[in-house]
Amino acid sequence: MKTSLLPLRAVITGIQGETEDVKTYSLSLEGSSYSAKPGQFNMVGYPGVGEAPISLSSTVSEGRFQHTIRTVGKVTKFIERFKEGDEIYLRGPYGSCWPLEDAMGKDILLVAGGVGIAPLRPVVQEILQRRDSYGKVTLIYGSRSPDNMLFMNEFDMWRKNIEIFLTVDEVPPHMKWDYDIGLVTQGLDKARLNPIVTLAFICGPEIMMHFISRGLFIRGFLPSRVYVSLERRMKCGIAQCGHCQHGSKFVCKDGPVFIYRDVSRLPDGLL
Ligand SMILES: Cc1cc2nc3c(=O)[nH]c(=O)nc-3n(C[C@H](O)[C@H](O)[C@H](O)COP(=O)(O)OP(=O)(O)OC[C@H]3O[C@@H](n4cnc5c(N)ncnc54)[C@H](O)[C@@H]3O)c2cc1C
Ligand code: FES
């Protein structure tokens, strides 16, 4: 069996509640040579319960990294009950990554919707580690309401080095919100983008990625400069079971990060 198929046992070293149904788990794989690139994912779970694909929500340093997980179903409800010191199992890293090497010297636009900010957070962390290697960096992030926004306490620090536009669909009465109200697509009007020198990385609901991509093409972006991260139900994570197949592509192996041009006309896509 290949090493990457063997589940690794990670210790939960910290748990941070982000929203009502999202938590960030700090994990440690001490003693392992584990490394991963922004955009890749692990199959995360527990023996006898199951596994779910979860993106890394941080960069990896000496076997330590984070996963940010929304509780939706069987596996994530099981994980939700874990406490600090508990053990969790994972296989990976799997899949493709955001093209940070190709983006060197260029501007980068990051667009996230909801939990879609999780796989883009390690992109920001890596950019901040070598800020001089990139041009202008812009983040547009939208969620349903202020209490659904993740990583709000990190944005002030990020803002020193990148431009950030935050928006929510609606603000419930008596809730404080100092930023925009409206769809994430409105952020494209505010950000001053140069399509010739910019690569766009988009992650969120597929309908959002569709409209953001369309908005970028209208503004002069080529489909070869727009990257999207796709979600499909997965079982094996290694292109063997067919659960995640999207036309001729396996989202687990060829993706999850794709060039828009390569997935826009595949059969089951909204893109
Ligand atoms: C590459 C990749 C990266 C991801 N990264 C993250 C991440 O960083 N954070 C994160 O929170 N999520 C992430 N996800 C999503 C996550 O993998 C899914 O939410 C996963 O299904 C959760 O597993 P579960 O067992 O908890 O939920 P499941 O039991 O699989 O349920 C998931 C959802 O599907 C519905 N559902 C379940 N069974 C069926 C059925 N038979 N028919 C129709 N609907 C059904 C449930 O009601 C629920 O809404 C990622 C997905 C992919 C593909
Ligand atoms: S999850 Fe099995 S083929 Fe992709």
Side-chain angles (χ1 to χ4, degrees):
M1 199 189 285
K2 286 183 199 161
T3 311
S4 63
L5 286 176
L6 291 172
L8 300 167
R9 194 168 51 186
V11 176
I12 299 175
T13 58
I15 301 176
Q16 162 84 38
E18 302 283 353
T19 69
E20 204 176 37
D21 57 357
V22 179
K23 289 181 185 174
T24 295
Y25 300 83
S26 299
L27 303 177
S28 172
L29 282 171
E30 253 168 58
S32 96
S33 56
Y34 181 92
S35 73
K37 293 186 172 165
Q40 290 193 294
F41 67 94
N42 288 316
M43 294 300 293
V44 180
Y46 201 80
V49 178
E51 296 177 308
I54 303 290
S55 306
L56 281 96
S57 66
S58 76
T59 50
V60 183
S61 170
E62 295 175 352
R64 290 170 177 267
F65 55 93
Q66 292 176 314
H67 278 309
T68 300
I69 304 180
R70 183 152 72 99
T71 304
V72 290
K74 192 172 155 213
V75 174
T76 50
K77 277 183 185 151
F78 189 82
I79 292 172
E80 206 262 337
R81 294 197 296 262
F82 281 143
K83 304 270 178 293
E84 226 175 288
D86 285 346
E87 288 173 341
I88 195 168
Y89 289 77
L90 53 91
R91 296 185 284 128
Y94 294 137
S96 57
C97 56
W98 300 106
L100 275 164
E101 299 295 323
D102 294 349
M104 282 198 180
K106 302 189 178 93
D107 291 357
I108 303 180
L109 169 67
L110 308 172
V111 187
V115 188
I117 187 83
L120 288 172
R121 183 168 169 251
V123 171
V124 174
Q125 292 174 339
E126 199 156 313
I127 289 170
L128 297 185
Q129 279 167 25
R130 39 185 171 147
R131 184 65 190 91
D132 293 345
S133 303
Y134 302 96
K136 190 171 87 142
V137 179
T138 308
L139 166 67
I140 302 173
Y141 175 36
S143 253
R144 265 177 295 134
S145 69
D147 49 350
N148 287 125
M149 299 293 281
L150 309 185
F151 312 131
M152 282 299 278
N153 57 352
E154 298 180 28
F155 294 152
D156 281 346
M157 203 260 284
W158 294 7
R159 234 183 228 106
K160 291 177 189 158
N161 286 286
I162 71 175
E163 195 172 28
I164 303 183
F165 298 98
L166 304 177
T167 185
V168 292
D169 296 349
E170 56 178 13
V171 181
H174 315 302
M175 197 173 275
K176 187 171 152 44
W177 179 247
D178 297 329
Y179 308 97
D180 293 338
I181 300 174
L183 294 177
V184 75
T185 41
Q186 291 174 11
L188 295 181
D189 295 327
K190 291 191 145 191
R192 296 171 312 283
L193 304 169
N194 178 347
I196 308 301
V197 297
T198 307
L199 292 187
F201 303 173
I202 316 172
C203 188
E206 234 158 84
I207 189 75
M208 178 216 96
M209 296 200 286
H210 168 80
F211 282 108
I212 290 287
S213 305
R214 239 177 48 170
L216 291 174
F217 302 146
I218 290 166
R219 288 165 177 81
F221 276 72
L222 294 175
S224 57
R225 289 180 162 265
V226 174
Y227 292 78
V228 291
S229 183
L230 296 188
E231 267 195 24
R232 287 294 178 277
R233 294 185 82 77
M234 291 184 183
K235 282 281 180 210
C236 68
I238 51 163
Q240 294 295 311
C241 71
H243 269 77
C244 70
Q245 213 166 343
H246 181 69
S248 61
K249 308 278 183 194
F250 291 92
V251 175
C252 64
K253 182 164 168 277
D254 303 313
V257 177
F258 290 96
I259 302 177
Y260 179 92
R261 183 193 55 195
D262 291 346
V263 286
S264 58
R265 295 215 171 79
L266 292 174
D268 71 335
L270 289 169
L271 292 172

